[in-house]
Amino acid sequence: MDRLLERPALRALQSSHGRQATLNAARAALEAWRTTAAASGSPFEPEAFDKTVDAALEREARAALRPVINLTGTVLHTNLGRAVMAPEAIEAVTSVMRGYSNLEFNLGRGARGDRDDHIEGLLREFTGAEAATAVNNNAAAVMLVLSALAEKKEVPVSRGELVEIGGAFRIPDIMRRAGCKLVEVGTTNRTHLRDFEEVLGPKTGMVMKVHTSNYQVQGFTAAVPPAELAALCHSRGIPFSEDLGAGTLVDLTRWGLPHEPTPAESVANGVDVVTFSGDKLLGGPQSGLIVGRKDLIARIKKCPLKRSLRLDKMTIAALEATLRLYRDPDRLSQRLPALRLLTRPHAEIKAQAMRLQPAVQQAFGNSAVVSVMDCRSQIGSGSLPVDRLESAGLSIASPTGGKRTGAFPERMAKLLRERPVPIIGRIEDGELRLDLRCLDGAETEQRFLEQLTGLMQEPAR
Ligand SMILES: *Cc1c(COP(=O)(O)O)cnc(C)c1O
């Protein structure tokens, strides 16, 4: 082993990867050779050995969490990290990472401060609520609100709103975990005010409304208008909370997008506590925002769970910077990447697809037929799957034609996933489809093109 490590190729690897890592990789390669040599009697080939060690070290040196190019057509893709941050948010995060900050230090009084102070004013401004706080994600926000306001008590929820969001977020399970007793009210399709009137009593901790973000009940339906439910709760002295899920701070219809309920609307309806995500339509970092009545937010902040769910300084920095962008709604669709991607005009995406088609066709050579296609993007993150945005992109089809070329799209998808910056598309109708909605900006487009060099030559790594 010492003699092997002295070889120039391995000395070079030691200087870039360190002695220990190179030694480990060399040992593993030697072991692998011994096993195969014992079976096949193949001689030891130093060059092949060096290559194996090099490849192993390169593989290990690559970060596990790394950027990908999202061409799935889902803008807020939970598996691909949801919202892309605004440059202002990135700047704010890096500056608090580099040094100390007034995270929990009140510069005016020179005394201990509260980390929520950095975002509370902005959240109050945009929602009209009296107070605000934030935790790690919206699932945590819902859990915390339940635990703080209704532990060991009953929480009535309409049967039409007992949602599962995905990733094990199910209202009945969250209730149990928070130590609350779920009281199912009404029926799946129709719930009336009198159904709530019947169940409210001394054991009721709070009433919860859940925005059914990822499905719709259609036909013979009835739900209690939030303002009426709020009035009922208030007449009985019971807190009323609403989980909005995506919860955007602005009216999206202004940009031709489907209407999503806003926390401001909930507050105006008399909802006492509203929870929503920071990294869905809001376009910020992963976080769960809680706004509402001052006395209730104070109780929520005192709950021991709050301490274990609190935000770190990087998230607070990104969240504050993102929220600040909402001060200027006129420029929001340019400055907030999530909104910019959601509002990219079809014509612009189509022109981009036509511009890129020749380069992509060339990269695939005669292994695939690349054509410009129209398609529909999704908002993602539990927003209504029926609300689709007109988009365009490239379809990569088998040159031998036929839709039943089963393995073809998988093979192409794998090839693109194995690029230095992986490209993620979606497989549909026996083709690999690349929706270009999220390939926004010259820099992103350039990075995409760079991934195509030598596409069909290099063996899959
Ligand atoms: C997405 C969603 C959640 C969970 O939010 P996360 O930020 O993913 O934790 C909870 N409730 C509703 C209604 C949602 O849509």
Side-chain angles (χ1 to χ4, degrees), residues 400-429:
T400 56
K403 296 287 186 197
R404 281 198 308 262
T405 41
F408 173 83
E410 270 86 12
R411 222 173 51 238
M412 295 300 120
K414 185 163 188 287
L415 200 64
L416 292 183
R417 279 203 311 274
E418 285 167 347
R419 306 315 295 167
V421 181
I423 298 166
I424 320 287
R426 67 168 187 262
I427 293 170
E428 245 170 28
D429 288 338

PDB file of all heavy atoms in Angstrom, residues 400-429:
ATOM      1  N   THR A 400     -37.356   5.732 -33.125  1.00  0.00           N
ATOM      2  CA  THR A 400     -38.061   4.626 -33.775  1.00  0.00           C
ATOM      3  C   THR A 400     -39.566   4.774 -33.628  1.00  0.00           C
ATOM      4  O   THR A 400     -40.326   3.914 -34.065  1.00  0.00           O
ATOM      5  CB  THR A 400     -37.613   3.270 -33.192  1.00  0.00           C
ATOM      6  OG1 THR A 400     -37.835   3.306 -31.778  1.00  0.00           O
ATOM      7  CG2 THR A 400     -36.157   3.002 -33.456  1.00  0.00           C
ATOM      8  N   GLY A 401     -39.987   5.875 -33.004  1.00  0.00           N
ATOM      9  CA  GLY A 401     -41.411   6.156 -32.878  1.00  0.00           C
ATOM     10  C   GLY A 401     -42.101   5.210 -31.923  1.00  0.00           C
ATOM     11  O   GLY A 401     -41.460   4.391 -31.248  1.00  0.00           O
ATOM     12  N   GLY A 402     -43.408   5.330 -31.855  1.00  0.00           N
ATOM     13  CA  GLY A 402     -44.168   4.442 -30.979  1.00  0.00           C
ATOM     14  C   GLY A 402     -44.172   4.949 -29.560  1.00  0.00           C
ATOM     15  O   GLY A 402     -43.156   5.431 -29.067  1.00  0.00           O
ATOM     16  N   LYS A 403     -45.298   4.838 -28.919  1.00  0.00           N
ATOM     17  CA  LYS A 403     -45.435   5.352 -27.554  1.00  0.00           C
ATOM     18  C   LYS A 403     -45.104   4.274 -26.543  1.00  0.00           C
ATOM     19  O   LYS A 403     -45.013   4.520 -25.362  1.00  0.00           O
ATOM     20  CB  LYS A 403     -46.868   5.845 -27.314  1.00  0.00           C
ATOM     21  CG  LYS A 403     -47.264   7.021 -28.168  1.00  0.00           C
ATOM     22  CD  LYS A 403     -46.576   8.300 -27.700  1.00  0.00           C
ATOM     23  CE  LYS A 403     -47.098   9.509 -28.461  1.00  0.00           C
ATOM     24  NZ  LYS A 403     -46.225  10.667 -28.349  1.00  0.00           N
ATOM     25  N   ARG A 404     -44.960   3.004 -27.020  1.00  0.00           N
ATOM     26  CA  ARG A 404     -44.746   1.946 -26.046  1.00  0.00           C
ATOM     27  C   ARG A 404     -43.283   1.556 -25.927  1.00  0.00           C
ATOM     28  O   ARG A 404     -42.948   0.440 -25.592  1.00  0.00           O
ATOM     29  CB  ARG A 404     -45.607   0.727 -26.399  1.00  0.00           C
ATOM     30  CG  ARG A 404     -47.063   0.905 -25.977  1.00  0.00           C
ATOM     31  CD  ARG A 404     -47.755  -0.448 -25.936  1.00  0.00           C
ATOM     32  NE  ARG A 404     -47.570  -1.167 -27.182  1.00  0.00           N
ATOM     33  CZ  ARG A 404     -48.484  -1.190 -28.156  1.00  0.00           C
ATOM     34  NH1 ARG A 404     -49.609  -0.563 -28.011  1.00  0.00           N
ATOM     35  NH2 ARG A 404     -48.252  -1.840 -29.263  1.00  0.00           N
ATOM     36  N   THR A 405     -42.394   2.538 -26.167  1.00  0.00           N
ATOM     37  CA  THR A 405     -40.962   2.266 -26.079  1.00  0.00           C
ATOM     38  C   THR A 405     -40.535   2.403 -24.623  1.00  0.00           C
ATOM     39  O   THR A 405     -39.607   3.114 -24.305  1.00  0.00           O
ATOM     40  CB  THR A 405     -40.180   3.229 -26.969  1.00  0.00           C
ATOM     41  OG1 THR A 405     -40.763   4.513 -26.825  1.00  0.00           O
ATOM     42  CG2 THR A 405     -40.209   2.797 -28.407  1.00  0.00           C
ATOM     43  N   GLY A 406     -41.265   1.704 -23.762  1.00  0.00           N
ATOM     44  CA  GLY A 406     -41.122   1.715 -22.302  1.00  0.00           C
ATOM     45  C   GLY A 406     -39.818   2.244 -21.734  1.00  0.00           C
ATOM     46  O   GLY A 406     -39.822   3.248 -21.037  1.00  0.00           O
ATOM     47  N   ALA A 407     -38.681   1.582 -22.044  1.00  0.00           N
ATOM     48  CA  ALA A 407     -37.432   1.933 -21.389  1.00  0.00           C
ATOM     49  C   ALA A 407     -36.834   3.241 -21.917  1.00  0.00           C
ATOM     50  O   ALA A 407     -36.026   3.865 -21.232  1.00  0.00           O
ATOM     51  CB  ALA A 407     -36.432   0.808 -21.572  1.00  0.00           C
ATOM     52  N   PHE A 408     -37.250   3.678 -23.104  1.00  0.00           N
ATOM     53  CA  PHE A 408     -36.600   4.844 -23.717  1.00  0.00           C
ATOM     54  C   PHE A 408     -36.650   6.109 -22.854  1.00  0.00           C
ATOM     55  O   PHE A 408     -35.601   6.695 -22.551  1.00  0.00           O
ATOM     56  CB  PHE A 408     -37.179   5.120 -25.116  1.00  0.00           C
ATOM     57  CG  PHE A 408     -36.665   6.386 -25.724  1.00  0.00           C
ATOM     58  CD1 PHE A 408     -35.434   6.416 -26.381  1.00  0.00           C
ATOM     59  CD2 PHE A 408     -37.375   7.582 -25.605  1.00  0.00           C
ATOM     60  CE1 PHE A 408     -34.933   7.593 -26.908  1.00  0.00           C
ATOM     61  CE2 PHE A 408     -36.881   8.767 -26.132  1.00  0.00           C
ATOM     62  CZ  PHE A 408     -35.661   8.766 -26.792  1.00  0.00           C
ATOM     63  N   PRO A 409     -37.836   6.559 -22.449  1.00  0.00           N
ATOM     64  CA  PRO A 409     -37.853   7.805 -21.668  1.00  0.00           C
ATOM     65  C   PRO A 409     -37.103   7.678 -20.345  1.00  0.00           C
ATOM     66  O   PRO A 409     -36.447   8.635 -19.915  1.00  0.00           O
ATOM     67  CB  PRO A 409     -39.338   8.090 -21.443  1.00  0.00           C
ATOM     68  CG  PRO A 409     -40.045   6.823 -21.717  1.00  0.00           C
ATOM     69  CD  PRO A 409     -39.206   6.054 -22.689  1.00  0.00           C
ATOM     70  N   GLU A 410     -37.165   6.494 -19.726  1.00  0.00           N
ATOM     71  CA  GLU A 410     -36.426   6.294 -18.473  1.00  0.00           C
ATOM     72  C   GLU A 410     -34.921   6.428 -18.708  1.00  0.00           C
ATOM     73  O   GLU A 410     -34.196   6.995 -17.906  1.00  0.00           O
ATOM     74  CB  GLU A 410     -36.714   4.909 -17.855  1.00  0.00           C
ATOM     75  CG  GLU A 410     -37.891   4.871 -16.894  1.00  0.00           C
ATOM     76  CD  GLU A 410     -39.213   4.660 -17.604  1.00  0.00           C
ATOM     77  OE1 GLU A 410     -39.167   4.311 -18.809  1.00  0.00           O
ATOM     78  OE2 GLU A 410     -40.276   4.867 -16.988  1.00  0.00           O
ATOM     79  N   ARG A 411     -34.479   5.868 -19.855  1.00  0.00           N
ATOM     80  CA  ARG A 411     -33.044   5.934 -20.171  1.00  0.00           C
ATOM     81  C   ARG A 411     -32.614   7.381 -20.383  1.00  0.00           C
ATOM     82  O   ARG A 411     -31.580   7.816 -19.894  1.00  0.00           O
ATOM     83  CB  ARG A 411     -32.771   5.092 -21.422  1.00  0.00           C
ATOM     84  CG  ARG A 411     -31.520   4.266 -21.301  1.00  0.00           C
ATOM     85  CD  ARG A 411     -31.296   3.301 -22.451  1.00  0.00           C
ATOM     86  NE  ARG A 411     -31.391   3.898 -23.759  1.00  0.00           N
ATOM     87  CZ  ARG A 411     -32.243   3.516 -24.709  1.00  0.00           C
ATOM     88  NH1 ARG A 411     -33.082   2.518 -24.464  1.00  0.00           N
ATOM     89  NH2 ARG A 411     -32.278   4.104 -25.886  1.00  0.00           N
ATOM     90  N   MET A 412     -33.436   8.144 -21.102  1.00  0.00           N
ATOM     91  CA  MET A 412     -33.114   9.555 -21.353  1.00  0.00           C
ATOM     92  C   MET A 412     -33.141  10.357 -20.050  1.00  0.00           C
ATOM     93  O   MET A 412     -32.298  11.210 -19.804  1.00  0.00           O
ATOM     94  CB  MET A 412     -34.119  10.163 -22.358  1.00  0.00           C
ATOM     95  CG  MET A 412     -34.050   9.550 -23.737  1.00  0.00           C
ATOM     96  SD  MET A 412     -32.411   9.750 -24.498  1.00  0.00           S
ATOM     97  CE  MET A 412     -31.918   8.067 -24.746  1.00  0.00           C
ATOM     98  N   ALA A 413     -34.139  10.056 -19.216  1.00  0.00           N
ATOM     99  CA  ALA A 413     -34.268  10.773 -17.940  1.00  0.00           C
ATOM    100  C   ALA A 413     -33.034  10.519 -17.075  1.00  0.00           C
ATOM    101  O   ALA A 413     -32.501  11.434 -16.438  1.00  0.00           O
ATOM    102  CB  ALA A 413     -35.530  10.330 -17.203  1.00  0.00           C
ATOM    103  N   LYS A 414     -32.551   9.259 -17.097  1.00  0.00           N
ATOM    104  CA  LYS A 414     -31.383   8.895 -16.299  1.00  0.00           C
ATOM    105  C   LYS A 414     -30.142   9.628 -16.807  1.00  0.00           C
ATOM    106  O   LYS A 414     -29.354  10.168 -16.035  1.00  0.00           O
ATOM    107  CB  LYS A 414     -31.175   7.381 -16.365  1.00  0.00           C
ATOM    108  CG  LYS A 414     -30.057   6.851 -15.486  1.00  0.00           C
ATOM    109  CD  LYS A 414     -30.189   5.343 -15.299  1.00  0.00           C
ATOM    110  CE  LYS A 414     -29.215   4.795 -14.281  1.00  0.00           C
ATOM    111  NZ  LYS A 414     -27.830   4.762 -14.762  1.00  0.00           N
ATOM    112  N   LEU A 415     -30.018   9.667 -18.137  1.00  0.00           N
ATOM    113  CA  LEU A 415     -28.882  10.349 -18.767  1.00  0.00           C
ATOM    114  C   LEU A 415     -28.815  11.812 -18.302  1.00  0.00           C
ATOM    115  O   LEU A 415     -27.747  12.317 -17.928  1.00  0.00           O
ATOM    116  CB  LEU A 415     -29.101  10.297 -20.287  1.00  0.00           C
ATOM    117  CG  LEU A 415     -27.916  10.493 -21.198  1.00  0.00           C
ATOM    118  CD1 LEU A 415     -26.927   9.362 -21.009  1.00  0.00           C
ATOM    119  CD2 LEU A 415     -28.394  10.529 -22.655  1.00  0.00           C
ATOM    120  N   LEU A 416     -29.960  12.477 -18.297  1.00  0.00           N
ATOM    121  CA  LEU A 416     -29.986  13.890 -17.903  1.00  0.00           C
ATOM    122  C   LEU A 416     -29.782  14.060 -16.397  1.00  0.00           C
ATOM    123  O   LEU A 416     -29.215  15.050 -15.952  1.00  0.00           O
ATOM    124  CB  LEU A 416     -31.294  14.549 -18.345  1.00  0.00           C
ATOM    125  CG  LEU A 416     -31.473  14.718 -19.859  1.00  0.00           C
ATOM    126  CD1 LEU A 416     -32.770  15.454 -20.157  1.00  0.00           C
ATOM    127  CD2 LEU A 416     -30.302  15.465 -20.491  1.00  0.00           C
ATOM    128  N   ARG A 417     -30.239  13.087 -15.619  1.00  0.00           N
ATOM    129  CA  ARG A 417     -30.036  13.151 -14.158  1.00  0.00           C
ATOM    130  C   ARG A 417     -28.569  12.977 -13.789  1.00  0.00           C
ATOM    131  O   ARG A 417     -28.140  13.396 -12.719  1.00  0.00           O
ATOM    132  CB  ARG A 417     -30.828  12.044 -13.454  1.00  0.00           C
ATOM    133  CG  ARG A 417     -32.277  12.313 -13.239  1.00  0.00           C
ATOM    134  CD  ARG A 417     -32.810  11.459 -12.094  1.00  0.00           C
ATOM    135  NE  ARG A 417     -32.475  10.045 -12.168  1.00  0.00           N
ATOM    136  CZ  ARG A 417     -33.172   9.140 -12.844  1.00  0.00           C
ATOM    137  NH1 ARG A 417     -34.242   9.498 -13.510  1.00  0.00           N
ATOM    138  NH2 ARG A 417     -32.805   7.879 -12.858  1.00  0.00           N
ATOM    139  N   GLU A 418     -27.797  12.357 -14.680  1.00  0.00           N
ATOM    140  CA  GLU A 418     -26.397  12.079 -14.367  1.00  0.00           C
ATOM    141  C   GLU A 418     -25.452  13.180 -14.824  1.00  0.00           C
ATOM    142  O   GLU A 418     -24.245  13.045 -14.727  1.00  0.00           O
ATOM    143  CB  GLU A 418     -25.991  10.737 -14.981  1.00  0.00           C
ATOM    144  CG  GLU A 418     -26.558   9.586 -14.184  1.00  0.00           C
ATOM    145  CD  GLU A 418     -26.462   8.253 -14.893  1.00  0.00           C
ATOM    146  OE1 GLU A 418     -26.174   8.247 -16.108  1.00  0.00           O
ATOM    147  OE2 GLU A 418     -26.679   7.227 -14.235  1.00  0.00           O
ATOM    148  N   ARG A 419     -25.987  14.283 -15.324  1.00  0.00           N
ATOM    149  CA  ARG A 419     -25.134  15.410 -15.711  1.00  0.00           C
ATOM    150  C   ARG A 419     -24.547  16.052 -14.450  1.00  0.00           C
ATOM    151  O   ARG A 419     -25.104  15.898 -13.358  1.00  0.00           O
ATOM    152  CB  ARG A 419     -25.928  16.464 -16.504  1.00  0.00           C
ATOM    153  CG  ARG A 419     -26.658  15.945 -17.716  1.00  0.00           C
ATOM    154  CD  ARG A 419     -25.835  15.003 -18.572  1.00  0.00           C
ATOM    155  NE  ARG A 419     -24.696  15.659 -19.182  1.00  0.00           N
ATOM    156  CZ  ARG A 419     -23.681  15.036 -19.767  1.00  0.00           C
ATOM    157  NH1 ARG A 419     -23.654  13.713 -19.787  1.00  0.00           N
ATOM    158  NH2 ARG A 419     -22.700  15.706 -20.308  1.00  0.00           N
ATOM    159  N   PRO A 420     -23.415  16.791 -14.589  1.00  0.00           N
ATOM    160  CA  PRO A 420     -22.822  17.440 -13.404  1.00  0.00           C
ATOM    161  C   PRO A 420     -23.868  18.265 -12.632  1.00  0.00           C
ATOM    162  O   PRO A 420     -23.934  18.191 -11.407  1.00  0.00           O
ATOM    163  CB  PRO A 420     -21.745  18.341 -14.003  1.00  0.00           C
ATOM    164  CG  PRO A 420     -21.401  17.706 -15.320  1.00  0.00           C
ATOM    165  CD  PRO A 420     -22.638  17.020 -15.816  1.00  0.00           C
ATOM    166  N   VAL A 421     -24.673  19.047 -13.360  1.00  0.00           N
ATOM    167  CA  VAL A 421     -25.840  19.661 -12.730  1.00  0.00           C
ATOM    168  C   VAL A 421     -27.041  18.883 -13.289  1.00  0.00           C
ATOM    169  O   VAL A 421     -27.405  19.037 -14.455  1.00  0.00           O
ATOM    170  CB  VAL A 421     -25.975  21.161 -13.075  1.00  0.00           C
ATOM    171  CG1 VAL A 421     -27.198  21.753 -12.370  1.00  0.00           C
ATOM    172  CG2 VAL A 421     -24.716  21.919 -12.677  1.00  0.00           C
ATOM    173  N   PRO A 422     -27.613  18.015 -12.475  1.00  0.00           N
ATOM    174  CA  PRO A 422     -28.671  17.137 -12.986  1.00  0.00           C
ATOM    175  C   PRO A 422     -29.861  17.917 -13.539  1.00  0.00           C
ATOM    176  O   PRO A 422     -30.238  18.948 -12.991  1.00  0.00           O
ATOM    177  CB  PRO A 422     -29.081  16.326 -11.746  1.00  0.00           C
ATOM    178  CG  PRO A 422     -27.909  16.400 -10.826  1.00  0.00           C
ATOM    179  CD  PRO A 422     -27.305  17.751 -11.057  1.00  0.00           C
ATOM    180  N   ILE A 423     -30.412  17.424 -14.641  1.00  0.00           N
ATOM    181  CA  ILE A 423     -31.596  18.019 -15.257  1.00  0.00           C
ATOM    182  C   ILE A 423     -32.763  17.073 -14.986  1.00  0.00           C
ATOM    183  O   ILE A 423     -32.686  15.882 -15.297  1.00  0.00           O
ATOM    184  CB  ILE A 423     -31.390  18.195 -16.775  1.00  0.00           C
ATOM    185  CG1 ILE A 423     -30.218  19.147 -17.035  1.00  0.00           C
ATOM    186  CG2 ILE A 423     -32.667  18.698 -17.458  1.00  0.00           C
ATOM    187  CD1 ILE A 423     -29.713  19.137 -18.465  1.00  0.00           C
ATOM    188  N   ILE A 424     -33.820  17.594 -14.394  1.00  0.00           N
ATOM    189  CA  ILE A 424     -34.967  16.753 -14.036  1.00  0.00           C
ATOM    190  C   ILE A 424     -36.168  17.134 -14.894  1.00  0.00           C
ATOM    191  O   ILE A 424     -36.650  18.268 -14.829  1.00  0.00           O
ATOM    192  CB  ILE A 424     -35.357  16.913 -12.539  1.00  0.00           C
ATOM    193  CG1 ILE A 424     -34.121  17.009 -11.629  1.00  0.00           C
ATOM    194  CG2 ILE A 424     -36.304  15.798 -12.102  1.00  0.00           C
ATOM    195  CD1 ILE A 424     -33.362  15.744 -11.425  1.00  0.00           C
ATOM    196  N   GLY A 425     -36.631  16.191 -15.723  1.00  0.00           N
ATOM    197  CA  GLY A 425     -37.828  16.428 -16.524  1.00  0.00           C
ATOM    198  C   GLY A 425     -38.964  15.567 -16.010  1.00  0.00           C
ATOM    199  O   GLY A 425     -38.945  15.125 -14.862  1.00  0.00           O
ATOM    200  N   ARG A 426     -39.972  15.331 -16.855  1.00  0.00           N
ATOM    201  CA  ARG A 426     -41.018  14.381 -16.448  1.00  0.00           C
ATOM    202  C   ARG A 426     -41.358  13.463 -17.622  1.00  0.00           C
ATOM    203  O   ARG A 426     -41.248  13.854 -18.786  1.00  0.00           O
ATOM    204  CB  ARG A 426     -42.249  15.117 -15.909  1.00  0.00           C
ATOM    205  CG  ARG A 426     -43.016  15.923 -16.917  1.00  0.00           C
ATOM    206  CD  ARG A 426     -44.368  16.363 -16.330  1.00  0.00           C
ATOM    207  NE  ARG A 426     -45.177  17.000 -17.348  1.00  0.00           N
ATOM    208  CZ  ARG A 426     -45.285  18.314 -17.513  1.00  0.00           C
ATOM    209  NH1 ARG A 426     -44.616  19.134 -16.713  1.00  0.00           N
ATOM    210  NH2 ARG A 426     -46.046  18.820 -18.467  1.00  0.00           N
ATOM    211  N   ILE A 427     -41.719  12.229 -17.290  1.00  0.00           N
ATOM    212  CA  ILE A 427     -42.026  11.242 -18.316  1.00  0.00           C
ATOM    213  C   ILE A 427     -43.528  11.198 -18.519  1.00  0.00           C
ATOM    214  O   ILE A 427     -44.288  11.124 -17.557  1.00  0.00           O
ATOM    215  CB  ILE A 427     -41.471   9.859 -17.900  1.00  0.00           C
ATOM    216  CG1 ILE A 427     -39.941   9.918 -17.912  1.00  0.00           C
ATOM    217  CG2 ILE A 427     -41.987   8.767 -18.833  1.00  0.00           C
ATOM    218  CD1 ILE A 427     -39.264   8.723 -17.299  1.00  0.00           C
ATOM    219  N   GLU A 428     -43.936  11.306 -19.787  1.00  0.00           N
ATOM    220  CA  GLU A 428     -45.362  11.332 -20.116  1.00  0.00           C
ATOM    221  C   GLU A 428     -45.536  10.733 -21.498  1.00  0.00           C
ATOM    222  O   GLU A 428     -44.775  11.082 -22.416  1.00  0.00           O
ATOM    223  CB  GLU A 428     -45.840  12.796 -20.161  1.00  0.00           C
ATOM    224  CG  GLU A 428     -46.848  13.162 -19.091  1.00  0.00           C
ATOM    225  CD  GLU A 428     -47.080  14.664 -19.062  1.00  0.00           C
ATOM    226  OE1 GLU A 428     -46.926  15.326 -20.110  1.00  0.00           O
ATOM    227  OE2 GLU A 428     -47.398  15.175 -17.985  1.00  0.00           O
ATOM    228  N   ASP A 429     -46.514   9.875 -21.668  1.00  0.00           N
ATOM    229  CA  ASP A 429     -46.836   9.304 -22.976  1.00  0.00           C
ATOM    230  C   ASP A 429     -45.613   8.736 -23.688  1.00  0.00           C
ATOM    231  O   ASP A 429     -45.425   8.948 -24.894  1.00  0.00           O
ATOM    232  CB  ASP A 429     -47.458  10.382 -23.887  1.00  0.00           C
ATOM    233  CG  ASP A 429     -48.866  10.743 -23.441  1.00  0.00           C
ATOM    234  OD1 ASP A 429     -49.482   9.910 -22.743  1.00  0.00           O
ATOM    235  OD2 ASP A 429     -49.332  11.837 -23.775  1.00  0.00           O
TER     236      ASP A 429
END
